[in-house]
Amino acid sequence: MRVNLPLITLHLKQAEAAPSVEMCPWGLPPRIPAPPVLMHSCEGVRKLSTKSTVIVVGGGLVGLTTAASLKLIGHDVIVLEKAPRIRAVGAGIGLWANALREFDHLGIGPAIRDMGIEQNTWFFNPAGDPVRAAGYTDSDHRFLLVPRPELNSLLADTIGRDRIRLDAPVTGYTETGTDVVVHLANGGTLRTDLLIGADGVHSNVRKQLVPGSDAVTHSGHYAWRAIVPTGDRKSEATVLTVGHRRTRGGYARIAGDRTMWMVNQFDAGPLTGSKRERALQRARNLAEAGWNDDLLSVIAETPEESILENQVTLVPELPHWTSARVALIGDAAHGLSPHIASGGTLGIEDVGVLRGSLAAGADLEKALTAYERARSARFEAVREHSAAVERAGDAVEFAQRYAAFSHWMLTTAPATP
């Protein structure tokens, strides 16, 4: 093997607070105990004070970041997570500079940089020939690769774990003129001034807000990945191999003692054998003349139970993301194929824009509309870039289209307060 490097993952301040408004007493109490900070605006007033209640559905990366960010500007935030523990779905997450700025705003940027490893992406063909698009610099290829479990744990601590309710699946909600009643699977309810659906591609909040918006499979597109001990593998940069039969993948150091490998294929065809065998079969499309022998060996050594295998699912383009008191964020609003390696980063961008919109004005509905307009317009361009990267036929074309996307994403990222 000519180079021993790992891969690009494909991922399978304080703002000025809005003016407060006079608050009126609770109506009927919730059927399960709620924190005493829950308050709701008076009849006909759709404003969000600095002590308004926000319920975030979903305790993943974007949901936790949303809660931490809105807590920072003075809102009383509760996170409802259906799992019995804080989720860490997937292996690692790539965070670009535009995401790290939001974490700097929260005061946890240095801690996140300490837990991750900076990646400087190079692209290769199946024979191991390096490729980079002309006209782009290292800054268009650099991101931080962070282990999800540690990141989510840090975010949970930043919010305060007493503000996170586990084993609390949400089945729906009732939006009124003065608040939102959130319905829980155990039959209980909670009332809130603002409900945020950060519950992923299979969002129950989205299902009610936009009927008929169920996630769809990205036909034939599968991804395999795992985290394994690094051992004696050496790595100084990030490598993505663009191989035969629409296969892409490689491996990357995710922490000092852990390495993540990943393989994905479009039009994967029938799946036969074990997960390990299926991953190895696709990885051979990335390996010629000794190139990627390390990838083949690390997959072969990975225990079957450690391998994640996923059929990629997408969220269809939505006619709207918000109502007067409900908003979607992250994958719940725009879940894309992971091959552009920026879904988490773009979801964190959502958070900064939502925070800025809420802090800029006291009219809640107008703030949510401003957030939706800004983000839906940006995602029109994201979808175009994603489709272009997916259609890339070889490493040269992929390198050009990917650099065009990352450069655009970084140079046009919203400036939030």
Side-chain angles (χ1 to χ4, degrees):
M1 183 172 182
R2 279 165 283 177
V3 195
N4 191 11
L5 306 170
L7 90 113
I8 182 176
T9 60
L10 298 181
H11 173 55
L12 229 154
K13 107 197 337 189
Q14 186 158 344
E16 182 179 351
S20 61
V21 297
E22 183 179 356
M23 304 303 289
C24 57
W26 284 65
L28 294 174
R31 283 182 277 163
I32 64 174
V37 296
L38 292 176
M39 298 187 294
H40 313 283
S41 6
C42 299
E43 185 67 35
V45 180
R46 286 178 178 157
K47 295 184 178 182
L48 204 63
S49 81
T50 54
K51 281 299 180 183
S52 294
T53 299
V54 180
I55 287 182
V56 179
V57 181
L61 169 63
V62 173
L64 294 174
T65 305
T66 301
S69 191
L70 297 189
K71 178 188 173 187
L72 183 68
I73 60 172
H75 298 300
D76 290 311
V77 181
I78 299 296
V79 176
L80 301 178
E81 167 54 43
K82 66 181 180 181
R85 61 186 63 85
I86 294 299
R87 295 184 289 143
V89 177
I93 183 73
L95 301 175
W96 294 78
N98 41 329
L100 292 171
R101 283 196 295 272
E102 183 65 18
F103 291 128
D104 287 336
H105 186 88
L106 294 175
I108 56 176
I112 291 173
R113 289 177 178 87
D114 284 346
M115 72 173 59
I117 294 181
E118 187 176 70
Q119 311 292 319
N120 187 14
T121 309
W122 278 87
F123 307 103
F124 287 75
N125 66 19
D129 301 315
V131 177
R132 257 199 184 175
Y136 297 95
T137 67
D138 278 357
S139 63
D140 299 311
H141 296 86
R142 289 190 185 278
F143 65 92
L144 188 73
L145 186 58
V146 178
R148 280 180 180 264
E150 286 91 329
L151 177 57
N152 283 3
S153 181
L154 174 62
L155 286 166
D157 290 338
T158 302
I159 299 161
R161 292 181 185 260
D162 59 322
R163 295 176 178 265
I164 300 172
R165 298 190 181 190
L166 302 174
D167 279 320
V170 170
T171 59
Y173 63 88
T174 301
E175 186 173 359
T176 75
T178 58
D179 61 11
V180 182
V181 181
V182 182
H183 303 283
L184 304 175
N186 67 0
T189 61
L190 290 171
R191 307 183 81 97
T192 184
D193 298 301
L194 171 60
L195 175 65
I196 298 176
D199 45 344
V201 293
H202 300 293
S203 167
N204 280 338
V205 177
R206 185 186 70 245
K207 190 176 299 185
Q208 181 169 341
L209 181 66
V210 189
S213 62
D214 289 356
V216 298
T217 59
H218 196 190
S219 182
H221 186 189
Y222 288 85
W224 294 264
R225 63 201 187 280
I227 293 179
V228 297
T230 297
D232 59 0
R233 297 179 184 88
K234 305 296 182 184
S235 59
E236 302 298 335
T238 301
V239 177
L240 170 68
T241 299
V242 180
H244 303 297
R245 300 179 183 88
R246 306 191 71 201
T247 309
R248 298 159 187 177
Y251 64 93
R253 178 108 29 126
I254 195 171
D257 59 346
R258 285 167 290 166
T259 291
M260 172 184 169
W261 63 259
M262 199 281 282
V263 176
N264 82 297
Q265 185 181 30
F266 302 96
D267 301 325
L271 302 184
T272 59
S274 67
K275 287 186 295 184
R276 186 193 298 109
E277 290 166 343
R278 294 194 284 264
L280 275 171
Q281 178 185 347
R282 276 79 191 176
R284 293 186 185 103
N285 294 328
L286 310 172
E288 289 181 0
W291 176 250
N292 262 335
D293 281 354
D294 279 358
L295 175 61
L296 297 178
S297 65
V298 74
I299 294 174
E301 295 166 7
T302 302
E304 181 79 7
E305 63 273 14
S306 298
I307 298 174
L308 299 175
E309 177 183 81
N310 295 102
Q311 158 82 75
V312 175
T313 56
L314 312 175
V315 172
E317 188 171 353
L318 304 178
H320 60 275
W321 297 12
T322 64
S323 64
R325 291 183 175 274
V326 179
L328 300 175
I329 200 165
D331 281 349
H334 48 66
L336 296 172
S337 167
H339 68 271
I340 56 172
S342 59
T345 286
L346 291 166
I348 293 164
E349 264 193 13
D350 289 349
V351 175
V353 174
L354 178 62
R355 172 176 48 77
S357 296
L358 292 174
D363 187 292
L364 175 57
E365 188 169 4
K366 288 181 179 178
L368 295 184
T369 298
Y371 155 74
E372 177 186 319
R373 286 176 177 167
R375 298 311 289 161
S376 59
R378 183 156 173 80
F379 268 87
E380 288 180 9
V382 171
R383 290 185 186 91
E384 292 176 3
H385 281 286
S386 178
V389 174
E390 179 181 338
R391 291 192 299 265
D394 57 24
V396 172
E397 197 168 55
F398 183 97
Q400 176 65 40
R401 294 180 181 185
Y402 196 90
F405 163 68
S406 61
H407 181 80
W408 169 83
M409 176 180 68
L410 294 169
T411 57
T412 61
T416 54

